[in-house]
Amino acid sequence: MTEQQQEAFDTTGFIILDNFLSKNELDNILSAVDEVGDKVRRIRGLRPDEPFAVRNALAHHESFLDLIDHPKMLPLVVDA
């Protein structure tokens, strides 16, 4: 983690990583978000425009698990 990233993390509790995911990785994550969203809305009987929250997203789709040990992510998590 760079010094600037560490300072941002210490101040806000998060950092923004521009251009972090490849197009393919981003497409996979967005597809997983849509899939989980559709499932949750169906189960809860929600309209497409109704907001909702999902806890433990990792349990809802394997694509989210791929982020945990992503080669660009893991060093940042260890540093944090």
Side-chain angles (χ1 to χ4, degrees):
M1 189 178 299
T2 67
E3 187 175 319
Q4 183 180 15
Q5 288 172 328
Q6 184 67 53
E7 184 177 319
F9 183 75
D10 291 343
T11 303
T12 64
F14 64 91
I15 56 175
I16 297 174
L17 303 169
D18 294 323
N19 302 311
F20 181 78
L21 298 172
S22 70
K23 180 171 177 3
N24 186 47
E25 291 169 326
L26 181 59
D27 288 345
N28 287 339
I29 292 297
L30 292 175
S31 178
V33 168
D34 289 342
E35 194 176 314
V36 171
D38 291 345
K39 181 180 175 183
V40 169
R41 283 190 170 91
R42 188 175 55 254
I43 290 170
R44 296 182 187 175
L46 300 173
R47 295 184 320 267
D49 63 332
E50 285 186 272
F52 63 91
V54 173
R55 304 212 182 214
N56 191 14
L58 300 177
H60 292 275
H61 202 285
E62 188 173 313
S63 290
F64 301 128
L65 287 172
D66 294 339
L67 294 175
I68 290 177
D69 62 354
H70 189 286
K72 288 180 169 179
M73 175 76 74
L74 190 57
L76 297 171
V77 172
V78 170
D79 287 348

